[in-house]
């Protein structure tokens, strides 16, 4: 549009949020090795499990770690396989323990976190969100060492223990009490008397 002319912008209504939002981080299993040479026709094969946003970033992270552990880098190496790992049970909630190493403004630190999620990928999402908000840790500065399922008896963090009912039974308050009629014949849309909430 030219100067001086006003056009009414059409605003579309936002789409409803998906309750079961997909996870951002995916787990990948990558296998790589050094390029075969005359001196070493069958080089050592290395495999690694890691989390990333997509397979391209997963391969980049694979070479990042492998180049610091072994004398193999992307220029003289090759990827043999890159597969995404899927969990069997993603419907029941479980306890996950995460061992991490991260870089802060002062140095490098080791930490242990616990999360209650339905899948390991959801736990990794929660990990990155917590470390970014609570500790101001950027995603490239966070390294996941190990993730494992934790039994209810082995849970350490109080934030996770409160949902297990170990100290006292888990109970949730009824914040919205709905008054219902005793029978369907007594059900009406409009009441001729003001409801009495003092008995609740």
């Amino acid at each position: 549009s030219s100067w001086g002319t006003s056009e009414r912008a059409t605003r579309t209504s936002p789409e409803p949020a998906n309750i079961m939002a997909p996870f951002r981080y995916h787990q990948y299993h990558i296998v790589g090795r050094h390029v075969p040479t005359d001196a070493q026709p069958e080089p050592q094969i290395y495999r690694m499990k890691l989390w990333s946003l997509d397979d391209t970033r997963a391969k980049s992270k694979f070479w990042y770690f492998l180049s610091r552990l072994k004398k193999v880098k992307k220029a003289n190496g090759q990827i043999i396989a890159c597969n995404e790992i899927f969990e069997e049970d993603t419907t029941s909630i479980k306890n996950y323990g995460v061992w991490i190493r991260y870089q802060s403004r002062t140095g490098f630190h080791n930490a242990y976190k616990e999360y209650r999620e339905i899948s390991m990928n959801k736990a990794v999402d929660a990990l990155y969100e917590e470390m970014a908000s609570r500790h101001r840790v950027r995603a490239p500065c966070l390294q996941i060492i190990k993730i494992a399922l934790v039994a209810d008896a082995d849970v350490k963090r109080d934030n996770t223990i409160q949902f297990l009912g170990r100290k006292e039974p888990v109970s949730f308050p009824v914040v919205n009490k709905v008054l219902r009629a005793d029978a369907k014949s007594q059900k009406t849309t409009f009441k001729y008397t003001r409801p009495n909430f003092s008995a609740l």
Side-chain angles (χ1 to χ4, degrees):
S1 63
S2 59
W3 291 96
T5 61
S6 60
E7 295 181 358
R8 186 176 181 181
T10 58
R11 181 175 299 177
T12 59
S13 59
E15 296 181 357
N18 187 7
I19 299 177
M20 297 295 293
F23 43 81
R24 295 181 66 235
Y25 285 88
H26 302 255
Q27 186 181 8
Y28 292 94
H29 177 259
I30 302 180
V31 182
R33 66 173 182 176
H34 193 283
V35 174
T37 58
D38 296 336
Q40 195 176 9
E42 296 181 358
Q44 179 70 29
I45 297 177
Y46 306 97
R47 67 186 184 96
M48 195 177 300
K49 290 182 181 179
L50 42 84
W51 279 263
S52 183
L53 298 176
D54 51 35
D55 57 346
T56 304
R57 290 184 174 93
K59 295 174 185 177
S60 176
K61 191 178 289 188
F62 172 78
W63 292 122
Y64 173 83
F65 289 118
L66 190 61
S67 62
R68 282 154 177 77
L69 297 173
K70 303 292 180 180
K71 289 189 176 181
V72 182
K73 56 184 180 180
K74 185 178 180 181
N76 59 11
Q78 61 181 186
I79 297 289
I80 298 176
C82 179
N83 302 316
E84 185 177 354
I85 299 176
F86 298 93
E87 292 186 66
E88 294 181 359
D89 181 19
T90 58
T91 57
S92 60
I93 192 166
K94 298 172 283 292
N95 306 319
Y96 291 99
V98 187
W99 289 261
I100 61 174
R101 177 181 183 266
Y102 68 95
Q103 181 183 7
S104 66
R105 298 187 182 95
T106 58
F108 291 88
H109 313 278
N110 296 324
Y112 170 75
K113 299 285 185 178
E114 284 181 353
Y115 300 97
R116 278 180 62 82
E117 294 290 344
I118 59 175
S119 66
M120 199 171 288
N121 294 334
K122 288 277 191 180
V124 173
D125 281 358
L127 169 69
Y128 275 94
E129 291 178 359
E130 180 187 359
M131 296 302 295
S133 61
R134 183 169 294 177
H135 302 281
R136 299 294 187 269
V137 177
R138 297 181 296 115
C141 300
L142 179 62
Q143 301 172 1
I144 300 176
I145 300 174
K146 176 185 175 183
I147 295 184
L149 283 171
V150 181
D152 293 346
D154 299 332
V155 171
K156 300 178 181 178
R157 299 293 183 258
D158 292 336
N159 190 31
T160 313
I161 294 176
Q162 65 179 347
F163 295 103
L164 303 177
R166 186 185 298 177
K167 297 181 180 179
E168 57 184 10
V170 180
S171 61
F172 298 95
V174 180
V175 295
N176 184 17
K177 187 130 183 174
V178 180
L179 294 177
R180 300 182 185 275
D182 296 336
K184 191 173 181 180
S185 59
Q186 300 177 0
K187 182 180 179 181
T188 58
T189 305
F190 301 101
K191 297 291 185 183
Y192 59 89
T193 57
R194 184 183 297 272
N196 184 14
F197 293 97
S198 61
L200 300 180

